[in-house]
Each structure stands twice: as C-alpha cells, then as structure tokens.
Amino acid sequence: MRHFIAAYVSLVSRPFRTLLTMFGIVIGVAAIYAMISIGNGAKKMIIHSLDGINTRSIAITPIWTENKASRRTERRPFSEADIEEISRIEGVESVSGENSKEFSVAVPGADLKVGIDGSDAFYLRTKSMTLKLGRNLNETDLQSKALVAIIGSSVAQSLFGTNHPIGETVKIDKIPFTVIGVVEKHETNLSSRRDENKFVLIPRTTARARLMGGHASVKNHVEGITVIFEREQDFSRIEDDIEHLLRYTRGLLDSDKLNFRMFNFAAARNQMMQVQRVLSLLLGSIGTIILIVGGVGVMNIMLVNVTERTHEIGLRLSVGARRSDILWQFVIEAILLCGLAGIVGLGLGWGIIAVAEIIGEFKMDTGWSVAALAFGSSLFVGLIFGYLPARRASRLHPVEALRHE
Amino acid sequence: MNTPLIKTENLTKIYGRGAAEIRALDGVDFEIESGEFVAIIGASGSGKSTLMNMLGGLDRPDLGRMFIAGQDLGQMSNKALAKFRNETIGFVFQQFQLLPKKSARANVMLPLQYRRPRREDEKALAEQSLARVGMSDRIAHKPTELSGGQQQRVAIARALVDAPELLLADEPTGALDSKTSTDVMALLKKLNAQGITIVLITHDADIAAYATRIITMRDGKITADERTEKAP
C-alpha cells in the first residue's frame, strides 16, 4: 500500500507526462472493452435471433440455375411424391409442402391483401405455431379440397376484431371459405419486416385447384417444402439424404449444380457466428496492438524516469534499499500508471459502447468479466513493459548512480 | 580496548586490466576504534572516496578483507549488504542527496522505509533525529525551502536516524560556504562527543583539523596516520 502511495505521488508530480503516457493505454483498454462488448453483443443477438424458431427444420425451395450454355432453366417445383419420399427418411419428424400466393381476403366491411399458404396438417408444426381456436387441417380436408381456412392472429384481428371467427366465412379471391381455426400469435426475434402472423392457411389441394395458376395449378406441384427432424445432431446426415433424394427425383447428375436450396436456421446461425468470431478476433487484435504500442510508450517513459532518478536510486540503495525494493518501486509505478489508464479507458470504452448502442440499435454485452479482462490487460501491460526499466534501475551500481550527473 | 569497530587487511581495489590497471586502493591496513572521529585526507584520485564506498558497503574490494562491527563485508550477500547499509551505516554526502519533493521528516524517514521489520515509531524517530541536529522547527519544510547548511543538517539527521554505529561523511562541507561549514563541522564534533563514530573524507586540511585522527592517502596507499589529540 505504501508503495502504491509513493508511486502515486511520483506520477502526479509529473502530471503532463503521466497523462501523455496514459493516452495509449487508455485508447487500448477502451478499444478492447468496447470491441469485445460489441462482439459479445452481436453474438447474443445472433443467438437470440433464433428464439422461437425451430432449429431442427430445413426449408427447401427451388431456385434458378444456369444449365447448358448459360440458358436459365425455370424454377422447377417439387412434387407430392417428394414430400412422401422425404417423410420416409430416417429421423424426419414431419414434412409439409406449401404453395403460396397473395390474394385479397374479405369479410363484409373489411378487405386486405394476405399471403395465402396452401399447405397441410404439418404446416403449423413446421413453423412452431400452435392453434389458439378451432381445429387443424386434416387428410379429409386435403382429399376433398375443402373450402376451409385457418387464419393467423393478425388476420383475425384485422377482419374480426374481438368477434369469434370460427365458423365465419371469408372470401379469398371471391371464393367463400369457412374459418376453422385461429393461430396463436407467434413471436420471433428475426428482424424480418414481414408480419409472420399475417397469413391464411388453406388445404394445398384447394389452393392448387381453386386459386393458383401456372405451375402451382399443375397437379402435384409443390413450391416449397419444410422438413422437421427429430434430433439436431442428425442435421448433416438428413440434409445429405434429402439432397441425394431430390437430385434423383429431379434428374440431376452429380456434376450438375443443385436447382434447389436447403436452409437451416442453426446452420445459418453457425455461419453468422463464424463471421462474428472472425470479426471479434480482428477487433480484439486491433485493441491488443494499440495496447502494445501504448505499453512501449510506457516502457519508454519509465526508462526516462529511471535515468532522471538515477540519483534517487543511488541514494535509496545507499540508505539500505535492496535491489528488489528498487525493482518493485518502478514496477508498481508502471502498473499504477497503466491501472489508472485502464480505469479511464474503461470509462471511455463505456462511452463508446453507449454511443454504439444508440447508433447500432442493439444491446451490447458489457459484463463485468469483459471489463475485468480489459482492465486486467492494462495491469498486465504495466507489469510487462514496466519490468525492463525497473530491472535496469535495480541493477544500477550505487556509487555510479550517486555520481551520475 | 575490545575489538576495533573497523579493521581492514590489505584492502585493494583495482580498476581496469593489464597495462591500464589502476590500483585505487593498494593494500590498505588500518583500524578504527569505536568513538573515534577520523578524517581521511588526500587529493582527488588518492583513493579516499573508493575507501569510503568500501567502508559503507557500496562497493566490494577486489583483494583483502574488511570487518565492520564484527561483520566480514567481503563475505556478505547483496541482501546482507543492504541490511548493513541500512542499520550500521549513516551516509552524509557532499550534495546532500535529499529528495526534493519530500519534507525534511520524510527525507529523514527514508532509511526506515527499508528497515526489516518495519518500526512503528518512524515519525517519532525522525523527529528525534531532526531535534539532534537542531532542525525541529523545519520538520515539514521541503529541501528547496531550506538553506544549504539546513539541508546538510537534514541529511545528517537522516544518517543518524535510529543510531547507526558509523557515520560516513563524504566532503560534507564541499558545497557550503565557510561560515556554514564551520556550523556543520561543529555539529559533527558535538555528535562525536556524544559517542558517534565518524569517518570524514575531505581534501581540506582545515576541515580535517576537526577530527581527532587524520589519515592521509596518496595513490591508494596510506602515507600518514596521526592523532591530533588524545584518543577518547
């Protein structure tokens, strides 16, 4: 403690020099603190973006591909048979197929454009949604191409307000459908602008026969498939199986590019995490480099200190200081210098984080552990870069130190 | 008389090697009893400063042996030498060597900072020591607020703090005018009368005259050793 007071007095007796020397460490600590916090915040955001989303799902959609001589082929849809085949893959829990298009949906006195999803009984399950009222679609609905509809909570709100919608009739593209179910409001943190509760679910067969033109009107065509599998660790194997199967049913050779795309949230998240990790590493390295440069500044000024105070060192040795006393005196001075700079740096870093939160509109993770790491690194720099000058001081010969001009 | 406070045997210090070899001390033998006031006189380069550094445990001899207060300095570790300087020796320097930003009391307390184990009455000891040199009314003054003579008194108080067995003074009046020099020498004389052993280095015969014994050095050797009055 006494050593710290002595070191403090020594530092404040040269305020300008102390402040200049602290500058590099302040910036370094602020950079490390802010950058790790921002990195961790981004990581949390990525993780939380999947809250409410089933990571055991694969969404499969057809895509445009270039084939021979750069001739673009059409998007080739899937078929009912594909759904059948995929549902037989081991580890697959449920599969739903979906044909979607936007239509006007109307009740007397209200009218809105809504995406109509023609699908099946597994639709809600694959989207992690649950029914609030009424019943789900069933096999009979699909076989009979029934004119029944299940509506999302936003649609229920817009069309029926507080009224009970079950059994009511809605007109989709002027065709009357009976509402048989209302879906519980579903919330995810995905920042997609689209209101995911604004949809109407009808049997896929009905959609195909009554509403949709083009490919979707052709028997068996399915525009999108969502697969839910049982265990997360089976993901790659199931993905491979699906790719293999679809390559076969779509007549693709091994050399052909895929004309469909498979999307899994967990895999996408892992990719984002990978990017985030690289970014964090990069930002952390910048902070570390600044800190090292600052540390060299500290070493430089400590060497100047030692030279200036050679007389004092000689005197202290002559009145009985051990070499280790001198060593500690200067090491502690360097550590204190860096520690003070570290505290200021944490303050500055906190400021940077606060500004970044306002600009970047996301929550940083400013845990104590990050602050402790940033602060600890400043002390570490003090120890490392303070040691050499301190050692030089402690190695001075007392007689020569006293005689030094 | 019992064993002398200081005893040297063939004390030799060599700087340089081969043809450039300089014997700063060349086989010095002498004894100093407890309570003596010894002046070591000689021109610059005579080896007197080297001898004092050696006596103070700041430097080690290349040849020969040296005993102070029963301790064989040649055999001591660095740590033991630091302890020796701290407890057995008090230094007074020509340029005072006070820490400019500290008070007189803090300067006097400096040796106690390195005392192991620490004493709890550091402040009281420092104040007693300042009282001994007549500086009780300047306890809180910084060196820059004191005259040269007053600074040297503070330095002497620092050397005296907690009763060392030997006071080593290297040209203590070298930076002072003649009036102040007389005061400082009178103080040393008084301290010696109180029983403190003093070894004084000087090139000034007038200053040496305050001592009870004068050792003259030349080219690293003792050329004369005479008592000016009866040994106490």
Side-chain angles (χ1 to χ4, degrees):
Chain A
M1 196 58 218
R2 178 188 293 264
H3 284 98
F4 276 96
I5 293 166
Y8 178 77
V9 169
S10 161
L11 289 176
V12 294
S13 68
R14 300 173 183 85
F16 190 60
R17 179 190 291 183
T18 301
L19 285 177
L20 282 181
T21 311
M22 278 166 66
F23 190 72
I25 305 293
V26 168
I27 302 294
V29 168
I32 288 182
Y33 183 43
M35 285 171 174
I36 294 181
S37 292
I38 290 167
N40 283 358
K43 189 153 98 192
K44 272 206 176 147
M45 192 177 70
I46 292 167
I47 291 168
H48 284 307
S49 69
L50 293 185
D51 287 356
I53 288 178
N54 193 341
T55 52
R56 291 177 291 108
S57 88
I58 302 172
I60 312 166
T61 45
I63 51 172
W64 297 99
T65 50
E66 287 172 17
N67 270 353
K68 288 166 202 151
S70 299
R71 273 180 52 213
R72 294 193 138 207
T73 60
E74 280 184 89
R75 262 156 57 104
R76 186 181 158 179
F78 306 109
S79 70
E80 293 286 342
D82 289 335
I83 297 177
E84 277 298 309
E85 293 287 340
I86 290 171
S87 66
R88 281 199 206 108
I89 291 172
E90 197 188 328
V92 169
E93 185 192 293
S94 46
V95 185
S96 77
E98 187 183 324
N99 292 334
S100 301
K101 203 173 176 189
E102 201 165 74
F103 290 99
S104 83
V105 177
V107 291
D111 183 352
L112 68 158
K113 281 262 182 194
V114 181
I116 307 297
D117 293 341
S119 187
D120 49 45
F122 297 112
Y123 174 92
L124 294 177
R125 187 115 149 244
T126 54
K127 291 208 159 28
S128 300
M129 288 177 170
T130 49
L131 274 176
K132 182 181 177 189
L133 296 168
R135 68 167 179 87
N136 196 356
L137 295 175
N138 59 31
E139 273 305 301
T140 321
D141 295 330
L142 268 94
Q143 274 165 16
S144 63
K145 300 171 187 159
L147 293 172
V148 291
I150 293 171
I151 58 178
S153 59
S154 295
V155 176
Q157 179 64 36
S158 305
L159 295 183
F160 298 103
T162 51
N163 294 338
H164 188 76
I166 303 295
E168 297 290 327
T169 300
V170 292
K171 285 193 168 173
I172 303 174
D173 200 27
K174 297 185 185 114
I175 303 162
F177 282 74
T178 306
V179 176
I180 58 165
V182 178
V183 179
E184 195 80 56
K185 189 169 185 203
H186 186 244
E187 280 178 276
T188 68
N189 289 326
L190 265 192
S191 51
S192 100
R193 298 270 156 74
R194 197 177 68 107
D195 177 358
E196 51 204 325
N197 293 300
K198 190 178 171 187
F199 71 94
V200 173
L201 167 63
I202 62 174
R204 186 164 64 240
T205 49
T206 314
R208 209 181 270 138
R210 309 291 295 264
L211 290 173
M212 311 208 179
H215 269 307
S217 66
V218 179
K219 191 170 185 289
N220 285 341
H221 277 188
V222 178
E223 293 287 350
I225 296 175
T226 309
V227 180
I228 299 286
F229 48 96
E230 280 158 6
R231 298 183 309 163
E232 211 158 324
Q233 62 265 40
D234 289 342
F235 168 66
S236 338
R237 200 258 304 157
I238 288 170
E239 192 185 42
D240 286 348
D241 285 355
I242 292 172
E243 185 186 321
H244 197 76
L245 176 78
L246 290 179
R247 268 184 183 277
Y248 178 74
T249 62
R250 295 159 79 80
L252 296 178
L253 301 172
D254 285 350
S255 55
D256 288 334
K257 281 186 192 162
L258 292 183
N259 58 3
F260 58 93
R261 188 180 63 187
M262 291 187 280
F263 180 82
N264 170 263
F265 281 106
R269 174 178 65 180
N270 287 345
Q271 266 173 8
M272 284 161 81
M273 296 280 260
Q274 194 76 38
V275 172
Q276 185 273 330
R277 259 197 296 275
V278 172
L279 207 68
S280 284
L281 203 67
L282 187 75
L283 296 178
S285 320
I286 293 171
T288 308
I289 289 167
I290 297 173
L291 203 59
I292 289 172
V293 172
V296 172
V298 169
M299 179 147 81
N300 188 28
I301 217 72
M302 289 307 293
L303 285 170
V304 171
N305 260 347
V306 168
T307 308
E308 277 186 355
R309 287 156 71 185
T310 301
H311 261 142
E312 179 190 327
I313 294 162
L315 171 69
R316 286 177 184 274
L317 288 169
S318 71
V319 299
R322 291 181 186 173
R323 298 201 177 282
S324 60
D325 290 325
I326 303 297
L327 184 81
W328 275 112
Q329 182 187 341
F330 284 94
V331 166
I332 285 171
E333 200 170 310
I335 289 177
L336 187 73
L337 177 75
C338 291
L340 289 175
I343 291 168
V344 178
L346 287 185
L348 181 64
W350 186 84
I352 292 170
I353 290 163
V355 171
E357 273 184 348
I358 294 165
I359 294 170
E361 286 181 348
F362 74 93
K363 193 91 194 91
M364 305 298 163
D365 185 17
T366 54
W368 280 109
S369 57
V370 179
L373 178 77
F375 182 65
S377 59
S378 74
L379 297 184
F380 186 68
V381 163
L383 179 68
I384 295 300
F385 291 96
Y387 182 77
L388 188 79
R391 204 177 107 98
R392 174 177 284 195
S394 74
R395 292 294 171 97
L396 287 171
H397 193 285
V399 175
E400 278 155 29
L402 278 169
R403 229 185 261 147
H404 184 265
E405 288 307 323
Chain B
M1 274 248 153
N2 38 20
T3 52
L5 180 64
I6 304 173
K7 181 176 164 60
T8 71
E9 292 172 359
N10 189 31
L11 204 61
T12 302
K13 181 75 183 177
I14 303 165
Y15 291 110
R17 285 277 162 88
E21 179 180 296
I22 295 167
R23 294 193 167 231
L25 287 180
D26 192 1
V28 173
D29 293 286
F30 65 90
E31 291 181 4
I32 292 175
E33 305 293 340
S34 195
E36 280 194 280
F37 187 171
V38 180
I40 298 175
I41 192 166
S44 62
S46 61
K48 60 186 195 301
S49 288
T50 307
L51 179 60
M52 191 181 102
N53 292 334
M54 212 78 73
L55 294 177
L58 291 173
D59 211 347
R60 289 170 184 277
D62 292 317
L63 282 172
R65 303 175 74 187
M66 175 170 56
F67 301 89
I68 296 178
Q71 304 171 80
D72 183 350
L73 264 64
Q75 303 299 314
M76 279 183 177
S77 66
N78 280 331
K79 261 189 196 176
L81 268 182
K83 186 179 165 69
F84 167 80
R85 291 196 292 265
N86 187 243
E87 293 176 3
T88 311
I89 301 293
F91 279 105
V92 179
F93 303 98
Q94 181 176 358
Q95 300 296 336
F96 322 139
Q97 306 285 9
L98 297 173
L99 297 179
K101 282 168 184 159
K102 307 232 167 179
S103 69
R105 184 173 59 196
N107 267 290
V108 173
M109 280 163 60
L110 189 68
L112 301 176
Q113 266 186 38
Y114 300 108
R115 186 61 49 93
R116 288 175 170 86
R118 296 293 292 254
R119 299 189 52 136
E120 288 185 7
D121 52 348
E122 288 176 0
K123 278 188 183 170
L125 280 172
E127 284 164 17
Q128 274 171 33
S129 199
L130 281 163
R132 260 183 116 173
V133 299
M135 291 290 290
S136 285
D137 53 344
R138 298 282 193 278
I139 282 174
H141 286 60
K142 297 199 168 145
T144 46
E145 298 159 354
L146 299 172
S147 71
Q150 288 172 328
Q151 289 185 55
Q152 193 60 300
R153 281 167 184 269
V154 173
I156 293 169
R158 180 182 63 201
L160 285 177
V161 75
D162 201 24
E165 290 174 70
L166 177 61
L167 197 69
L168 291 174
D170 186 358
E171 303 271 14
T173 59
L176 300 174
D177 60 48
S178 58
K179 165 77 176 66
T180 322
S181 298
T182 312
D183 292 348
V184 166
M185 288 315 297
L187 172 64
L188 290 180
K189 188 87 187 155
K190 189 185 99 188
L191 293 170
N192 177 243
Q194 289 166 5
I196 296 167
T197 312
I198 299 176
V199 173
L200 171 84
I201 302 272
T202 185
H203 64 275
D204 184 340
D206 292 342
I207 295 298
Y210 284 87
T212 54
R213 176 180 168 193
I214 298 173
I215 295 176
T216 309
M217 289 194 70
R218 194 173 168 184
D219 298 333
K221 290 189 165 110
I222 292 176
T223 54
D225 186 348
E226 55 201 357
R227 284 170 209 278
T228 55
E229 54 188 88
K230 278 184 187 167

